[in-house]
Amino acid sequence: MGAPDFSADLYREITEFAQGTPSWVHEAADVGTDAGLLLFAVLFVVGWWRARGLDARAMGLALAAPFAVVSAYLVSEVSKSFIQEERPCRAVAGAVHIAACPAPGDWSFPSNHATIAAASAAAIVVAWRAMAPLVLPLAALMAFSRVFVGVHYPHDVAAGFLVGVVVAPAAALVVVLAARPLVEALRGWPVGAVLLGAGPSAGRSAPEGPGLGVPLGTPRPAVAGAPMVSASAPVDDASVTMPDVMGGVPPRRGPLR
């Protein structure tokens, strides 16, 4: 398969720009792709630890993330074997590249690095949505870096990114169907509870009255020495004397001095 002309032209522009950047940018771009994959691996571990206090579905999604990434990678790798597009660092005349050009037979389309980066980000977002602003731009930057260092065409990384964000979430949602009941069962065992956590803590009854901590409508205990008055019985105002209010203190007898 030959690369589209627009992608080859864009490849030349990006790699020529990259060649003119400082050497430390070259090193950061070359190392950054693999370092980014390690960061995603760390985030998988953090996601597992976070899910130990959540329900079985959340833990199942955290455990499904690596399987989802492997699924996306397999789709990408099988596609490369069938399409067999030559790397631009060999196919483009006068190509300049920062990274070493991969060996012949290591095909270009789609980009495995872009697929893994996008799949990792997508699997993390499915399990932990708040991480989207961090992991999705990181995956896009990692995908672009493969063009920047000269080992992929732009359409290679675009296709790889698309494979990752489509296959990984679908695979994670399928895997969690089996993982969820398994997590619930394993949490009942001591070892499983250590590895998977005990799940959400037992729910506590929230206060329903303002600052009382007692649900509204709960009968209050009777105060010792206080007469019980039925809500339906009429109350004679004259019968409520000061001693009654003072807690039944007997009235003082004898003349006042």
Side-chain angles (χ1 to χ4, degrees), residues 4 19-20 22 32 48 78 83 96 113 117 126 154 174 222 242:
Q19 197 69 22
W48 157 75
V78 170
I83 297 172
V96 291
H113 275 83
V126 169
V174 170
M242 183 62 69

Side-chain angles (χ1 to χ4, degrees), residues 20-47:
T21 57
S23 59
W24 65 266
V25 176
H26 299 180
E27 295 176 4
D30 195 13
V31 175
T33 303
D34 294 329
L37 297 180
L38 291 177
L39 176 58
F40 280 127
V42 171
L43 289 176
F44 287 158
V45 176
V46 174

Side-chain angles (χ1 to χ4, degrees), residues 178-229:
R180 181 176 181 176
L182 182 61
V183 169
E184 292 175 345
L186 291 177
R187 277 178 168 174
W189 294 80
V191 176
V194 171
L195 295 176
L196 305 179
S201 57
R204 300 177 183 176
S205 56
E208 297 184 23
L212 298 177
V214 178
L216 294 175
T218 303
R220 297 176 179 272
V223 180
M228 298 297 292
V229 180

Side-chain angles (χ1 to χ4, degrees), residues 40 43 46-47 50 121 124-125 127-137:
F40 280 127
L43 289 176
V46 174
R50 167 182 172 270
I124 290 171
V125 171
W128 191 358
R129 194 172 304 172
M131 295 298 291
L134 170 64
V135 297
L136 291 176

Side-chain angles (χ1 to χ4, degrees), residues 64-160:
F67 296 97
V69 174
V70 171
S71 299
Y73 166 76
L74 291 176
V75 171
S76 175
E77 185 63 24
V78 170
S79 300
K80 289 166 77 79
S81 301
F82 278 101
I83 297 172
Q84 298 186 354
E85 178 192 76
E86 189 60 270
R87 293 274 181 171
C89 44
R90 276 191 297 273
V92 175
V96 291
H97 48 90
I98 295 170
C101 193
D106 187 348
W107 307 113
S108 188
F109 181 89
S111 166
N112 279 344
H113 275 83
T115 298
I116 295 172
S120 299
I124 290 171
V125 171
V126 169
W128 191 358
R129 194 172 304 172
M131 295 298 291
L134 170 64
V135 297
L136 291 176
L138 176 60
L141 182 61
M142 290 170 60
F144 173 76
S145 73
R146 303 305 290 166
V147 182
F148 189 86
V149 299
V151 295
H152 277 291
Y153 292 105
H155 73 279
D156 295 341
V157 299

